[in-house]
């Protein structure tokens, strides 16, 4: 099982990066997967259209929380357009572990919530590919 | 009456009948601990369906040719087997459905719609599976009736003290309750609830999906009015379940679904309904699955439902003792085997149940993680999810030992 719960993933789960609320932010959204009770709240600080910092809070399984922690490092310094265009595969590559279809939803919860925050902040609609994740609850 | 649990020899013989138990996962033999979701299948049941399809298949209640007669006889014999299993007064009271969910919906959309209206009260409980909760919510919305829920204590024991206030409110028409919680294994005091409901002039709908598979269930002794169960949890195939209902109630109801089979005569202007039970069985029924369910019932009765119940009690007692040895593990629900069936929900420190189930899968231990289709119950308990291990006539102490070893490995992997 160590191929699944490998060291890097567990390190992010137990020591999440950029974790905890941000006093002032430019974009914010909450994502929940009611099937497993996973929840993340994403906050983003922007400078000139670039992600200065993404922070998150929440709770859930190791996959959802570690993937969101990895995401905070992945998107730092990206432009809003670059981050909003990140494919799910980017976070799956980051996790670098085999995931069943059910656990993929856990893995992309943070990314979907970040995209919602960025699109909401820019006043643009969430892309269609996030519209079919109907198990998720976005707010 | 004391019945001996299954002996190790019995268990070995039973397990040899279940071909899937020979399967290995990740190099280890399967430890299937999710029977509350669905049961695995004995070869005898699989053979009965294969033999039926190989020799006698034809649509039922149609053909005058030999195959059609054999098929109809086999289908109706399955109905007799279900009637006998439940000690039903009449075979006309056994309606085949797809599963428990469809059986409960049938009651809501026939008896419920035809008997409930504004000002009436429907009573259910926070213990219920969504299948015995959502249909009553929809019924209340459709008819203007009010839906009241009985609460539990922190161990999951149903609290009946609200019944007095509900009785004063009056107009109670229907009480829907589970025979055994699929999440906690707790068994509500059905006899008290039935006595109370009948004193109010209400009918009782019992969700027996978790008890028909593993202990004697007698509709006359229970004195309920409707009872539902699923074939797939009862060693049978998917796609077949049954509703039992009192003939005096069923006789007056308008049909559930309409079409072929459920009619007596059809004219362009008007249709008259078939007799019970076929009035409620529109379209070609799952007759091959009924044959499978019949074989499953025969299997259960050959082993003995009292013996299966005693085995589940013994294995649950053993599991509760072994699970108590796992540091950080908390049993959700009754803490002793006395008050519950063979279903144990638990949490382990703050490790998410999905992580636990995934790591256990690497040990070939199959458990369920999540809300188990009981979101209101999980919320009432202040949780997001639990891990659930559930036991049946094939479960061994060795499988429980592997669950415990797997949980110790969960602690290691997750660093708790």
């Amino acid at each position: 099982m160590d191929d699944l719960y490998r060291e890097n993933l567990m390190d992010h789960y137990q020591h999440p990066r950029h974790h905890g609320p941000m006093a002032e932010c430019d974009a914010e959204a909450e994502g929940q997967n009611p099937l497993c009770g996973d929840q993340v709240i994403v906050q983003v600080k922007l400078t000139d259209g670039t992600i200065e910092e993404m922070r998150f809070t929440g709770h859930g399984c190791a996959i959802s929380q570690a993937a969101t922690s990895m995401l905070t490092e992945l998107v730092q310094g990206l432009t809003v357009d670059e981050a909003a265009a990140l494919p799910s595969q980017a976070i799956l590559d980051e996790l670098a572990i085999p995931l069943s279809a059910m656990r993929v939803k856990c893995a992309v919860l943070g990314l979907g919530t970040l995209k919602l925050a960025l699109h909401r902040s820019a006043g643009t609609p969430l892309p269609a590919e996030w519209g079919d994740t109907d198990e998720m609850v976005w707010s | 009456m004391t019945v001996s649990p299954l002996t190790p020899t019995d268990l070995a013989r039973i397990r040899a009948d279940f071909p899937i138990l020979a399967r290995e996962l990740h190099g280890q033999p399967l430890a299937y601990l999710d029977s509350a979701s669905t049961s695995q299948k004995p070869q005898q049941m699989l053979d009965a369906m294969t033999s039926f399809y190989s020799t006698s298949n034809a649509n039922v209640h149609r053909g005058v040719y030999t195959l059609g007669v054999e098929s109809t006889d086999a289908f109706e014999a399955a109905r007799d087997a279900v009637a006998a299993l439940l000690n039903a007064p009449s075979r006309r009271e056994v309606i085949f459905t797809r599963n428990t969910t469809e059986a409960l919906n049938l009651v809501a959309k026939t008896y419920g719609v035809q008997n409930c209206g504004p000002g009436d009260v429907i009573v259910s409980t926070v213990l219920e599976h969504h299948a015995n909760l959502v249909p009553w919510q929809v019924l209340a919305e459709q008819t203007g009736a009010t839906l009241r829920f009985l609460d539990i204590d922190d161990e999951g024991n149903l609290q009946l003290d609200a019944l007095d206030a509900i009785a004063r409110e009056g107009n109670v028409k229907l009480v829907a309750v589970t025979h055994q919680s699929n999440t906690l294994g707790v068994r509500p005091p059905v006899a008290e609830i039935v006595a109370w409901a009948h004193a109010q002039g209400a009918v009782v709908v019992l969700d027996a999906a978790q008890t028909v598979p593993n202990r004697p269930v007698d509709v006359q002794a229970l004195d309920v009015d409707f009872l539902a169960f699923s074939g797939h949890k009862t060693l049978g195939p998917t796609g077949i379940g049954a509703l039992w209902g009192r003939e005096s109630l069923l006789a007056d109801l308008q049909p559930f679904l309409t079409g072929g089979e459920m009619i007596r005569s059809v004219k362009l202007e008007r249709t008259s309904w078939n007799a019970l039970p076929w009035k409620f069985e529109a379209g070609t029924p799952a007759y091959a699955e009924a044959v499978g369910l019949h074989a499953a019932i025969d299997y259960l009765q050959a082993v003995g439902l009292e013996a299966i119940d005693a085995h589940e009690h013994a294995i649950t007692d053993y599991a509760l003792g072994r699970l108590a040895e796992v540091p950080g593990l908390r049993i959700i629900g009754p803490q002793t085997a006395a008050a519950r069936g063979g279903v144990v929900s638990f949490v382990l420190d703050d490790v998410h149940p999905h992580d636990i189930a995934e790591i256990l899968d690497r040990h070939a231990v199959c458990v369920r993680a999540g809300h188990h289709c009981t979101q209101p119950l999980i919320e009432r308990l202040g949780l997001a999810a639990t891990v659930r291990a559930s036991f049946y006539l094939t479960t061994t102490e060795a499988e429980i030992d592997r669950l415990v070893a797997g949980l110790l490995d969960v602690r290691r992997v997750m660093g708790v």
Side-chain angles (χ1 to χ4, degrees):
Chain A
M1 74 232 44
D2 292 339
D3 59 336
L4 180 57
Y5 288 85
R6 61 174 62 184
E7 208 171 312
N8 184 39
L9 189 151
M10 287 309 299
D11 185 53
H12 273 273
Y13 176 57
Q14 287 165 345
H15 310 286
R17 322 296 198 262
H18 307 279
H19 191 263
M22 193 182 271
E24 282 181 30
C25 65
D26 300 301
E28 185 173 21
E30 178 182 339
Q32 278 185 41
N33 184 347
L35 278 181
C36 40
D38 291 347
Q39 180 210 36
V40 295
I41 296 163
V42 166
Q43 293 176 298
V44 186
K45 178 99 186 119
L46 300 172
T47 305
D48 300 333
T50 299
I51 295 179
E52 187 181 321
E53 190 187 13
M54 166 188 163
R55 295 185 69 82
F56 79 106
T57 54
H59 56 82
C61 68
I63 307 289
S64 70
Q65 302 303 304
T68 308
S69 170
M70 290 171 178
L71 185 68
T72 64
E73 296 187 327
L74 189 68
V75 299
Q76 192 151 2
L78 293 189
T79 67
V80 168
D81 288 344
E82 286 168 339
L86 266 186
S88 299
Q89 193 58 45
I91 199 66
L92 299 180
D93 289 347
E94 230 19 63
L95 287 165
I97 51 169
L99 288 179
S100 65
M102 195 168 137
R103 300 310 295 279
V104 166
K105 291 181 187 131
C106 305
V108 301
L109 176 64
L111 179 59
T113 308
L114 170 67
K115 289 192 176 196
L116 177 64
L118 295 177
H119 282 281
R120 181 183 285 162
S121 154
T124 51
L126 197 65
E129 76 248 33
W130 293 101
D132 64 1
T133 54
D134 47 357
E135 290 95 346
M136 308 289 202
V137 177
W138 310 105
S139 56
Chain B
M1 179 178 60
T2 306
V3 173
S4 304
L6 303 171
T7 65
T9 315
D10 294 334
L11 259 181
R13 201 181 58 239
I14 290 166
R15 288 176 61 86
D17 287 332
F18 288 70
I20 205 169
L21 298 181
R23 181 165 176 196
E24 294 198 341
L25 274 179
H26 315 296
Q28 297 169 85
L30 198 67
Y32 184 76
L33 301 178
D34 195 22
S35 291
S37 259
T38 197
S39 64
Q40 295 299 348
K41 317 303 177 193
Q43 190 65 50
Q44 288 86 337
M45 191 286 280
L46 303 172
D47 288 347
M49 286 185 71
T50 303
S51 167
F52 177 81
Y53 272 131
S54 306
T55 63
S56 304
N57 180 52
N59 209 331
V60 292
H61 301 137
R62 308 280 191 286
V64 289
Y65 51 92
T66 303
L67 291 187
V69 172
E70 286 178 5
S71 184
T72 302
D73 287 350
F75 179 54
E76 293 301 331
R79 193 185 313 276
D80 291 329
V82 172
L85 178 73
L86 302 177
N87 193 29
S90 164
R91 69 188 313 279
R92 292 187 295 277
E93 300 176 327
V94 176
I95 298 158
F96 282 120
T97 62
R98 276 192 303 141
N99 46 36
T100 302
T101 298
E102 189 176 81
L104 294 167
N105 272 275
L106 191 161
V107 178
K109 293 189 184 302
T110 59
Y111 186 88
V113 168
Q114 294 164 39
N115 289 278
C116 295
D120 289 335
V121 175
I122 302 162
V123 179
S124 190
T125 85
V126 297
L127 281 172
E128 302 309 313
H129 188 285
H130 296 162
N132 200 27
L133 195 160
V134 182
W136 312 120
Q137 273 183 345
V138 172
L139 174 64
E141 282 167 21
Q142 283 178 339
T143 60
T146 304
L147 185 53
R148 300 256 182 260
F149 291 101
L150 299 180
D151 198 11
I152 51 171
D153 67 13
D154 291 341
E155 274 201 356
N157 301 299
L158 198 64
Q159 302 298 291
L160 302 184
D161 46 343
L163 289 179
D164 287 344
I166 295 172
R168 280 195 296 277
E169 206 174 350
N171 297 326
V172 182
K173 285 289 161 65
L174 187 146
V175 179
V177 64
T178 183
H179 205 190
Q180 176 181 302
S181 161
N182 69 300
T183 297
L184 303 182
V186 69
R187 295 172 170 179
V190 170
E192 281 179 68
I193 293 168
V194 169
W196 178 86
H198 286 169
Q200 314 306 311
V203 298
V204 177
V205 183
L206 190 68
D207 172 1
Q210 295 295 333
T211 52
V212 167
N214 52 47
R215 61 178 166 138
V217 171
D218 179 332
V219 293
Q220 297 188 61
L222 286 165
D223 198 28
V224 294
D225 302 285
F226 296 98
L227 179 146
F229 77 96
S230 290
H232 73 94
K233 293 189 206 286
T234 313
L235 306 186
T238 54
I240 185 111
L243 172 71
W244 170 85
R246 280 187 203 278
E247 187 168 359
S248 57
L249 299 173
L250 294 173
D252 294 337
L253 295 180
Q254 291 299 303
F256 173 42
L257 302 176
T258 55
E261 179 73 25
M262 52 74 65
I263 52 88
R264 176 162 286 140
S265 83
V266 179
K267 298 188 186 308
L268 288 179
E269 305 75 29
R270 183 168 177 77
T271 295
S272 59
W273 313 135
N274 204 338
L276 285 175
W278 305 289
K279 178 170 80 171
F280 292 105
E281 292 180 354
T284 295
Y287 56 83
E289 287 76 7
V291 168
L293 177 60
H294 188 173
I297 290 170
D298 286 349
Y299 188 93
L300 287 172
Q301 290 181 326
V303 175
L305 282 155
E306 292 90 350
I308 294 170
D309 188 26
H311 173 67
E312 278 202 16
H313 183 80
I315 206 81
T316 303
D317 193 44
Y318 180 77
L320 289 170
R322 291 292 337 262
L323 288 169
E325 297 169 20
V326 179
L329 187 142
R330 181 160 68 93
I331 301 287
I332 309 298
Q335 302 295 305
T336 69
R340 59 152 77 232
V343 177
V344 178
S345 262
F346 58 87
V347 292
L348 180 56
D349 281 325
D350 58 354
V351 181
H352 194 284
H354 278 178
D355 291 322
I356 296 172
E358 182 121 25
I359 295 168
L360 289 176
D361 179 62
R362 306 301 162 112
H363 293 264
V365 175
C366 309
V367 296
R368 180 92 181 262
H371 52 62
H372 319 296
C373 294
T374 56
Q375 283 184 10
L377 172 60
I378 295 291
E379 192 179 330
R380 166 64 182 81
L381 295 165
L383 301 168
T386 72
V387 180
R388 182 187 72 183
S390 52
F391 319 129
Y392 203 8
L393 76 171
T394 57
T395 310
T396 62
E397 291 187 355
E399 289 177 319
I400 305 295
D401 294 342
R402 288 183 45 211
L403 168 65
V404 169
L407 288 168
L408 294 174
D409 195 49
V410 169
R411 291 184 56 83
R412 181 188 67 78
V413 172
M414 300 302 290
V416 295

